Amino acid sequence: TQKPVQVKLVLLGEAAVGKSSVVLRFVQNDFQEYKEPTIGAAFLTQKCRLEDKVIKFEIWDTAGQERFRSLAPMYYRNALSAVVVYDITSSSSFDKAKSWVKELQRQASPNVIIALVGNKLDLVDGSHEEDEEGDDATATPTAGQEQSRAISRDEAQAYAEESNLLFFETSAKTGEGVVEVFTEIAKKIPLE
Ligand code: GTP
Ligand code: MG
């Protein structure tokens, strides 16, 4: 067997979009309904086995709260990959994701692999039409935890394409799409 290739990965995004939950799903295949906000950053590792190589992700899960904002460059500076997370029911979190992408493209390493991830897919019912962005006033309360989608898949996909990002929608709660994020990043890592 080959020696794993170590890859530093950083997660960025607005508070409460589910960064830690996506990592918890990937690393422990678990989900917590009431996950406490991250303080500073958390470090976790997980291997990803591909046909021709093993990638060992060294994951820095940063805190989204504004008071930790100044710490972020420390974590993305040497990162080979970045996962920028937003919540598909929150247009402000999508704006924040875009500003992280801009910052990464200016300040992170020039060949950083960036994945844009729209999380909380389980909250929206797939049979509903998407709402206009920011049109929260027309949202109707519904049973259970269902909420209206603020960012359509098409809009995010188009933005990702023009900005050269990988793009995924996920649910840390159900696990949908989570492994794919890390597998697709792993596939883009050049063999040493
Ligand atoms: P900070 O550490 O403060 O930046 O937040 P975070 O981005 O790490 O968010 P966290 O993973 O702590 O999740 C925030 C809340 O959203 C928690 O109550 C989670 O249970 C919930 N959550 C996370 N992902 C999902 C998801 O895919 N679906 C649903 N329904 N809830 C989620
Ligand atoms: Mg967190």
Side-chain angles (χ1 to χ4, degrees), residues 12-24 31-40 61-65 68 85 87 118-123 145 147 170-176 178:
L12 297 164
E14 193 175 78
V17 294
K19 297 177 295 299
S20 299
S21 299
V22 166
V23 174
L24 184 66
F31 177 74
Q32 294 172 2
E33 203 68 59
Y34 302 99
K35 186 138 184 61
E36 63 293 342
T38 304
I39 305 298
D61 169 26
T62 67
Q65 288 177 28
F68 299 113
V85 184
D87 169 349
N119 188 42
K120 307 200 183 182
L121 193 51
D122 61 282
L123 289 180
Q145 283 201 313
Q147 293 179 32
T170 62
S171 166
K173 185 168 181 171
T174 67
E176 185 175 356
V178 171

Side-chain angles (χ1 to χ4, degrees), residues 48-55 182-184 186-188:
C48 192
R49 278 163 228 286
L50 301 181
E51 257 175 47
D52 55 342
K53 59 189 166 187
V54 180
I55 300 291
F182 295 89
T183 308
E184 292 306 311
K187 284 184 189 166
K188 297 207 99 186

Side-chain angles (χ1 to χ4, degrees), residues 15-135:
V17 294
K19 297 177 295 299
S20 299
S21 299
V22 166
V23 174
L24 184 66
R25 175 60 73 189
F26 177 56
V27 172
Q28 290 180 29
N29 196 21
D30 194 10
F31 177 74
Q32 294 172 2
E33 203 68 59
Y34 302 99
K35 186 138 184 61
E36 63 293 342
T38 304
I39 305 298
F43 179 75
L44 300 96
T45 66
Q46 175 67 302
K47 284 182 190 147
C48 192
R49 278 163 228 286
L50 301 181
E51 257 175 47
D52 55 342
K53 59 189 166 187
V54 180
I55 300 291
K56 184 187 180 193
F57 283 112
E58 301 179 330
I59 302 168
W60 286 100
D61 169 26
T62 67
Q65 288 177 28
E66 211 43 49
R67 62 194 169 116
F68 299 113
R69 175 70 189 76
S70 61
L71 300 176
M74 238 168 40
Y75 297 106
Y76 68 64
R77 211 175 34 211
N78 305 311
L80 201 55
S81 57
V83 175
V84 178
V85 184
Y86 65 97
D87 169 349
I88 62 168
T89 70
S90 156
S91 54
S92 74
S93 76
F94 187 63
D95 293 340
K96 184 76 200 176
K98 285 177 163 176
S99 84
W100 278 121
V101 168
K102 229 183 236 168
E103 180 166 339
L104 286 167
Q105 289 179 335
R106 277 194 206 132
Q107 316 273 2
S109 95
N111 32 22
V112 64
I113 298 161
I114 305 174
L116 178 69
V117 170
N119 188 42
K120 307 200 183 182
L121 193 51
D122 61 282
L123 289 180
V124 305
D125 183 326
S127 65
H128 287 212
E129 269 306 292
E130 283 135 9
D131 292 348
E132 292 297 330
E133 182 180 352
D135 199 9

